[in-house]
């Protein structure tokens, strides 16, 4: 499938909606916690077991993004969005079959493995294209699209809860909910496939002449040999681990925190909390990434990691005594979590240039795979062990929150160590120009 080249006069503002249609769909992954209690009840699973489809999905997201990044760069965004549509929707259909037959391994295979490939390819599908369309505002451009991934649960969480209430929370009701998800998202993602375009030539910033890319230009393979890549890998991994630890277990976590108080949290309110977290995740992706265009990428990551550690400390110390404080701190952490995702492509562009930024971004998302296992494993495993020891309520999460604070501090230090890339890693200008000219001639 050849990349669809924009005709003369095509507005670049049509590209973010195409990206949003895909990201809003695959962002359903952040609403997985709504399915955890019904699955645990219907299939007799523990909290750690019910997290497995989500964990595997995030692992496959990072791996498919890493291995598919070069293919996305070569074949273009329409190819990538088509692959994402097929895999993501098929994952739901396989999960529906698994729930209907009460075969949990099919849910893990469908939602986690097959759907996770759709997550990874769909996630990186518009990033490089958006940076090429918006060279003057890369943080804002990627923030608009990646905002959709964070906001997907804002739609999916109440929608899923309503379906489970209507269809029932037994295995057949879960199966029907999965089926509706798979078919609906296929239609919505098709809009992005049909709408997306790549620029015929790189658009210039307003008031400037079109010119070849300036600044450092580093290939994807060479980027792996730089300390900057691995420092950013640590930064992303620590920030994601801290956010995903709350997000994956959000609904049962807020229920546990206030179960022993005079104002316990209902199932409906817990689903509403998940939706609020999604809104914060979404707002952070556009708000904080746009702010990074003004104050710089390193400074914004200082905020994400430093203030994020302070928010975790407040929850650990006072969260169970004040519901508004718990919710506010969680919302701030999730806004930083989303902002970190949306800012990282622009951070990569600043350090490595636009030459193969999509492929570099794909490789960096292996940090997300690691965090997708690490965050839920820390929170769920510790909570399960504490519950076995007879503890309950907020005490299930105290130790895991202390661990999250330590991880954020590690990320803060890694961010401080980021420096400009040594010129010996740069792509020679003639080779870069030849490659760009060849890619444009292939697209035309």
């Amino acid at each position: 499938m050849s990349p669809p080249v924009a005709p003369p006069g095509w507005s670049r503002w049509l590209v973010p909606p195409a990206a949003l249609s895909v990201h809003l769909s695959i962002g359903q992954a952040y609403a997985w916690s709504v399915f955890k209690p019904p699955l645990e009840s219907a299939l007799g699973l523990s909290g750690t077991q019910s997290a497995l489809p989500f964990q595997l999905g995030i692992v496959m997201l990072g791996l498919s993004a890493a291995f598919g990044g070069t293919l996305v760069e070569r074949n273009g965004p329409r190819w990538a969005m088509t692959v994402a549509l097929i895999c993501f929707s098929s994952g739901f259909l396989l999960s529906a079959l698994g729930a209907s037959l009460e075969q949990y391994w099919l849910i893990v295979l469908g939602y986690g493995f097959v759907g996770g490939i759709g997550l990874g390819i769909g996630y990186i599908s518009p990033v490089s294209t958006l940076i090429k369309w918006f060279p003057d505002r890369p943080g804002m451009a990627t923030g608009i699209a990646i905002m959709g991934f964070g906001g997907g649960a804002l739609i999916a969480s109440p929608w899923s809860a309503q379906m489970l209430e209507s269809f029932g929370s037994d295995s057949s009701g879960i199966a029907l909910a999965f089926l509706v998800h798979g078919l609906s998202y296929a239609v919505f993602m098709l809009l992005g496939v049909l709408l997306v375009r790549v620029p015929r030539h790189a658009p210039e910033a307003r008031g400037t002449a079109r010119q070849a890319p300036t600044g450092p230009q580093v290939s994807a393979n060479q980027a792996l040999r730089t300390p900057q890549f691995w420092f950013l890998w640590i930064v992303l991994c620590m920030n994601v681990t801290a956010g995903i630890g709350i997000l994956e277990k959000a609904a049962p976590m807020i229920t546990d925190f206030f179960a022993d108080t005079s104002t316990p949290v209902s199932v409906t309110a817990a689903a509403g909390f998940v939706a609020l977290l999604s809104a914060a995740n979404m707002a952070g992706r556009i708000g904080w990434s746009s702010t990074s265009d003004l104050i710089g990428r390193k400074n914004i990551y200082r905020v994400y990691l430093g203030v994020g550690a302070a928010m975790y400390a407040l929850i650990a110390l006072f969260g169970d005594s004040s519901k508004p404080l718990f919710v506010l701190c969680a919302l701030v952490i999730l806004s930083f979590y989303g902002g970190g995702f949306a800012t990282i492509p622009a951070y990569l562009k600043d350090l490595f240039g636009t030459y193969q930024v999509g492929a570099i971004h794909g490789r960096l998302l292996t940090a997300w795979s690691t965090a997708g296992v690490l965050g839920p494993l820390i929170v769920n495993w510790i909570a399960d062990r504490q519950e076995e020891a007879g503890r309950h309520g907020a005490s299930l999460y105290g130790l895991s929150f202390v661990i999250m604070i330590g991880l954020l501090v590690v990320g803060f230090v890694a961010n401080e160590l980021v420096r400009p890339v040594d010129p010996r890693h740069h792509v020679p200008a003639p080779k870069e120009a030849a490659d760009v000219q060849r890619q444009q001639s292939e697209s035309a």
Side-chain angles (χ1 to χ4, degrees):
M1 183 180 293
S2 300
V5 180
W10 182 268
S11 172
R12 65 179 182 171
W13 291 102
L14 292 173
V15 180
L20 274 172
S21 72
V22 172
H23 275 229
L24 279 170
S25 299
I26 63 177
Q28 183 281 333
Y30 285 144
W32 177 253
S33 66
V34 175
F35 286 102
K36 280 172 66 70
L39 282 170
E40 290 168 17
S41 176
L43 302 180
L45 307 173
S46 67
T48 303
Q49 290 172 323
S50 67
L52 186 57
F54 176 82
Q55 288 177 292
L56 181 57
I58 298 302
V59 169
M60 294 309 302
L61 185 158
L63 293 178
S64 60
F67 289 105
T70 303
L71 289 175
V72 172
E73 289 282 292
R74 181 184 305 137
N75 297 327
R78 177 170 288 176
W79 174 87
M81 290 179 179
T82 302
V83 171
L85 184 160
I86 293 170
C87 291
F88 189 65
S89 297
S90 297
F92 267 115
L93 299 182
L94 273 173
S95 298
L97 179 62
S100 178
L101 299 176
E102 298 187 2
Q103 295 293 317
Y104 188 56
W105 69 271
L106 269 176
I107 299 177
V108 175
L109 174 66
Y111 191 94
F113 185 80
V114 179
I117 294 173
L119 289 178
I121 300 299
Y123 189 86
I124 64 173
S125 61
V127 171
S128 177
T129 301
L130 283 164
I131 289 177
K132 291 171 183 174
W133 275 111
F134 293 87
D136 50 338
R137 286 179 281 183
M140 181 214 68
T142 55
I144 289 175
I146 294 175
M147 170 185 73
F149 192 87
L154 189 62
I155 299 169
S157 180
W159 184 38
S160 300
Q162 182 59 50
M163 276 195 284
L164 290 171
E165 183 178 337
S166 301
F167 302 152
S169 56
D170 57 359
S171 58
S172 61
I174 297 170
L176 189 53
F178 282 153
L179 177 63
V180 173
H181 275 75
L183 296 177
S184 300
Y185 284 132
V187 173
F188 195 58
M189 293 172 75
L190 184 61
L191 297 176
V193 172
L194 297 176
L195 188 60
V196 73
R197 299 287 189 280
V198 296
R200 184 172 297 274
H201 301 289
E204 65 274 9
R206 184 172 298 178
T208 63
R210 181 178 290 125
Q211 55 187 356
T214 59
Q217 301 294 328
V218 182
S219 70
N221 289 336
Q222 196 65 28
L224 295 177
R225 300 183 173 93
T226 67
Q228 288 82 357
F229 177 90
W230 296 107
F231 286 142
L232 287 188
W233 193 97
I234 293 171
V235 166
L236 184 63
C237 185
M238 298 301 101
N239 193 55
V240 173
T241 300
I244 212 167
I246 287 182
L247 193 57
E248 187 276 334
K249 201 174 174 67
M253 181 182 291
I254 193 172
T255 302
D256 290 337
F257 248 81
F258 299 98
D260 299 329
T261 68
S262 58
T263 56
V265 177
S266 67
V267 174
T268 302
F273 174 62
V274 175
L276 276 177
L277 291 180
S278 179
N281 189 353
M282 179 174 63
R285 290 173 187 243
I286 181 62
W288 294 121
S289 61
S290 296
T291 303
S292 77
D293 287 335
L294 302 175
I295 70 173
R297 321 302 173 195
K298 178 174 281 193
N299 285 333
I300 202 68
Y301 273 96
R302 286 169 173 153
V303 174
Y304 298 156
L305 299 160
V307 179
M311 294 296 102
Y312 256 116
L314 284 174
I315 294 178
L317 293 172
F318 310 111
D320 60 339
S321 62
S322 172
K323 196 177 296 183
L325 177 66
F326 177 90
V327 172
L328 177 62
C329 290
L331 292 177
V332 172
I333 291 170
L334 263 295
S335 77
F336 292 159
Y337 169 82
F341 277 122
T343 309
I344 204 71
Y347 209 162
L348 292 171
K349 180 255 184 188
D350 293 345
L351 289 171
F352 301 109
T354 59
Y355 175 50
Q356 290 187 338
V357 66
I360 296 171
H361 183 225
R363 287 161 171 76
L364 192 76
L365 289 182
T366 54
W368 194 355
S369 292
T370 304
V373 174
L374 194 60
L377 182 62
I378 290 171
V379 175
N380 284 287
W381 187 84
I382 291 176
D384 287 344
R385 300 292 82 75
Q386 297 285 19
E387 189 173 10
E388 289 174 3
R391 296 182 177 87
H392 52 84
S395 61
L396 298 175
Y397 304 98
L399 177 58
S400 59
F401 285 1
V402 172
I403 293 173
M404 296 302 179
I405 293 171
L407 293 177
L408 286 169
V409 172
V410 170
F412 189 94
V413 173
N415 183 54
E416 293 302 308
L417 295 174
V418 174
R419 298 288 186 272
V421 176
D422 191 290
R424 65 191 175 89
H425 295 292
H426 295 183
V427 174
K431 179 181 186 303
E432 175 199 328
D435 283 351
V436 170
Q437 184 176 10
R438 175 180 55 78
Q439 290 171 1
Q440 289 181 350
S441 64
E442 290 176 355
S443 299

